[in-house]
């Protein structure tokens, strides 16, 4: 079996299990992704260029405009508007104005940066085998992301993936399964966004 990389793969590899995400005919090439699909296009392309030395030219990347974030990118990496009844999204920490109502989301940007910092600290603690401290960072990041982020966005995926790994490290299997289930929900939502 040979696998190749597109940003619209026919399969996902979760917990060392290859799971089809689309119909695969007998003899058809099985494709997987090298990067988190929940990332906005510019982040995916940068990671592929940096880590694998190529620019992705799959249909999903070509369809996304380079100059501005697509609606897919906004939903995956954006910050939800906190204005009552708005339902809009700001594209990112650097462009933090809601596309629907124009509200600047300074508080959401600060929380997003705090979540990213907590995840970095959690990974460092896991690397040092300090799992209890890693778990504290992960759970704090989860609480923040649930309060401030889109539940299916890239940040939520990262938090729940890190939580799952840390729960596995400390043999909390039921909690790991719950985190995994949430991650799968995030991935499924990302795939649906990608098909718009």
């Amino acid at each position: 079996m040979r696998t190749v990389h597109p940003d619209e793969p026919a399969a996902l590899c979760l917990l060392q299990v290859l799971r089809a995400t689309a119909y695969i005919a007998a003899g058809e090439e099985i494709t997987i992704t090298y990067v988190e699909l929940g990332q906005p296009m510019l982040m995916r392309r940068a990671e592929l260029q940096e880590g694998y030395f190529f620019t992705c030219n799959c249909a999903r990347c070509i369809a996304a405009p380079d100059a501005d974030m697509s609606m897919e990118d906004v939903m995956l990496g954006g910050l939800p508007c906190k204005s009552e009844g708005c339902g809009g999204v700001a594209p990112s920490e650097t462009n933090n104005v809601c596309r629907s109502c124009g509200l600047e989301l300074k508080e959401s940007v600060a929380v997003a940066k705090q979540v990213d910092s907590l995840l970095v600290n959690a990974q460092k603690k896991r690397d040092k085998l300090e799992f209890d401290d890693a778990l504290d960072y992960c759970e704090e990041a989860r609480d923040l992301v649930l309060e401030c982020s889109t539940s299916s966005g890239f940040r939520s995926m990262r938090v729940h993936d890190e939580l799952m790994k840390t729960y596995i490290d400390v043999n909390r299997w039921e909690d790991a399964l719950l985190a995994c289930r949430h991650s799968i929900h995030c991935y499924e939502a990302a795939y649906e966004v990608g098909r718009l």
Side-chain angles (χ1 to χ4, degrees), residues 6 14 60 102 148 160 196:
L14 297 173
R60 184 176 174 205
C148 184
H160 286 88
L196 292 180

Side-chain angles (χ1 to χ4, degrees), residues 151-153 156-157 160 181-191:
S151 64
S152 60
S156 184
M157 282 190 267
H160 286 88
R181 285 182 180 151
H182 191 83
S183 274
I184 289 171
H185 164 74
C186 294
Y187 281 103
E188 287 171 344
Y191 282 110

Side-chain angles (χ1 to χ4, degrees), residues 1-183:
M1 170 176 74
R2 183 174 94 82
T3 59
V4 295
H5 162 85
D7 281 340
E8 289 183 334
L12 271 179
C13 189
L14 297 173
L15 297 174
Q16 306 305 318
V17 174
L18 196 61
R19 178 181 178 200
T21 59
Y23 176 76
I24 304 170
E28 184 179 343
E29 184 173 56
I30 296 174
T31 57
I32 62 171
T33 183
Y34 298 159
V35 298
E36 290 286 348
L37 293 179
Q39 299 178 84
M41 184 268 301
L42 294 175
M43 289 175 72
R44 291 192 314 266
R45 277 190 156 179
E47 188 174 335
L48 289 169
Q49 188 63 52
E50 225 174 82
Y52 300 95
F53 309 104
F54 74 93
T55 299
C56 184
N57 291 311
C58 73
R60 184 176 174 205
C61 282
I62 294 205
D66 282 328
D68 191 18
M69 292 182 80
S70 67
M71 184 48 95
E72 171 191 357
D73 289 344
V74 170
M75 294 307 295
L76 293 172
L79 304 167
C81 185
K82 293 293 187 180
S83 182
E84 189 172 329
C86 174
V89 181
S92 66
E93 287 87 4
T94 54
N95 181 3
N96 63 352
V97 176
C98 176
R99 285 190 168 178
S100 296
C101 71
L103 179 70
E104 188 173 4
L105 305 174
K106 289 180 183 177
E107 180 183 321
S108 296
V109 171
V111 172
K113 288 180 179 179
Q114 186 177 359
V115 167
D116 292 344
S117 175
L118 288 165
L119 288 176
V120 167
N121 290 334
Q123 290 169 343
K124 287 178 181 176
K125 292 295 185 179
R126 281 187 69 237
D127 290 345
K128 294 179 181 179
L129 306 179
E130 297 173 4
F131 300 122
D132 290 337
D133 291 338
L135 197 53
D136 289 343
Y137 284 123
C138 287
E139 289 175 341
E140 186 177 348
R142 178 204 52 212
D143 294 345
L144 284 171
V145 84
L146 290 175
E147 175 184 315
C148 184
S149 184
T150 54
S151 64
S152 60
F154 174 62
R155 198 167 272 109
S156 184
M157 282 190 267
R158 285 183 50 222
V159 166
H160 286 88
D161 281 348
E162 192 64 29
L163 254 176
M164 178 187 63
K165 293 174 196 170
T166 308
Y167 284 140
I168 289 170
D169 289 335
V170 296
N171 296 318
R172 287 177 54 181
W173 300 105
E174 288 181 21
D175 291 329
L177 181 58
L178 288 174
C180 179
R181 285 182 180 151
H182 191 83
S183 274

